[in-house]
Each structure stands twice: as C-alpha cells, then as structure tokens.
Amino acid sequence: MDGNLKLGEHFICDLSDCDQALLLDSDRARDLFTQAVREAGLTIVSEGYYRFSPHGFTCFLLLAESHASLHAWPEFGYCAIDLFTCNLTMDIHPLVQKLQALFHSGSCAVRNVDREAALTPSVLESLRVKGILAPVEELT
C-alpha cells in the first residue's frame, strides 16, 4: 500500500509593517529571534548570520528539531521567517505570535506545509526489513 508519512511541519511566515528601526539594528533583532526560538523550547545546536550592505540581514538557527531562519528587509519593514520542526507534538503558533509581537508586525501571514515522505511498497518493505516499521500481519 502506498502512502505518505508526515515527518515535519514547515511554517512560512511573512511579517509586514514591522518596526524598521529594530530591523536596522540587526544584532538586536537577531538576538530577539534567537531568544524567542530558545524560549519556545527548541534546541539550538548551531547558528549563522550575515549582514548585508547597506542594510538587511539573514540569520539561521540549526535546531535539533530542524531549523529556523529570518531574512530581514528593513527598508520595507518586512521579515521572512521559516520555522521547520520535526517535533510533531509541538504547537508552533505561540512562537509565531511572539515573533509578530517582538517585531511589532502590523500584518502576519502564515502558511503551513506538511513535510511528507512518499512511502512506496519498496520503501515500506525496506523499513520493515530494517526493523523501523513492524511487519504487517497478513490475513489468512
């Protein structure tokens, strides 16, 4: 039997009408983003940061649960935030709301994409052989 296995959720957030002064202070904005992700209970294992000239920045957080990134365009008062987690029991909405408040976003659009693996019969059998999936009981 073919099917899909949900392995994660990817939240794509567009924050518009944000505090431009805050976004121009990229170090402070990065710190607020990092702190909010950490306080949400996600585990940061590494991070990266790049400041553009004359303004704008990208930062990413490599998480034990997957990743989080923020791309800022201060001149437009806009942040693109991606939150991808494989922790399917975590409610990510409070984190999105906190980020919206931290960046004083007047408008926030969120899209949620389920990340799924297609499980063909050959993939299912391979997972069973490896002991990752229990064998299917055959009816006689």
Side-chain angles (χ1 to χ4, degrees):
M1 176 179 197
D2 292 350
N4 290 332
L5 178 63
K6 182 176 175 179
L7 296 174
E9 290 185 307
H10 193 160
F11 292 84
I12 302 164
C13 311
D14 294 311
L15 277 64
S16 298
D17 193 24
C18 295
D19 181 342
Q20 289 179 302
L22 172 59
L23 295 181
L24 285 167
D25 185 350
S26 56
D27 290 332
R28 182 168 173 247
R30 177 192 61 199
D31 290 346
L32 288 171
F33 178 68
T34 302
Q35 181 180 347
V37 169
R38 186 174 285 118
E39 288 175 357
L42 295 164
T43 309
I44 299 170
V45 296
S46 187
E47 54 188 276
Y49 172 73
Y50 184 79
R51 187 180 335 200
F52 295 96
S53 180
H55 44 256
F57 68 94
T58 292
C59 66
F60 70 88
L61 305 172
L62 181 60
L63 308 173
E65 301 84 1
S66 195
H67 68 270
S69 63
L70 185 154
H71 309 280
W73 285 262
E75 67 275 28
F76 301 117
Y78 172 77
C79 293
I81 296 176
D82 285 10
L83 304 166
F84 181 20
T85 179
C86 56
N87 180 347
L88 298 177
T89 62
M90 181 178 190
D91 181 6
I92 208 82
H93 293 96
L95 174 55
V96 172
Q97 291 170 345
K98 182 169 190 165
L99 292 169
Q100 184 179 6
L102 284 172
F103 292 102
H104 306 283
S105 171
S107 173
C108 178
V110 179
R111 288 167 283 177
N112 181 5
V113 177
D114 288 341
R115 304 308 296 261
E116 299 177 327
L119 300 181
T120 62
S122 62
V123 170
L124 286 169
E125 182 58 27
S126 173
L127 293 172
R128 287 187 186 103
V129 167
K130 294 176 183 174
I132 296 170
L133 285 180
V136 174
E137 297 284 327
E138 292 195 6
L139 299 174
T140 57

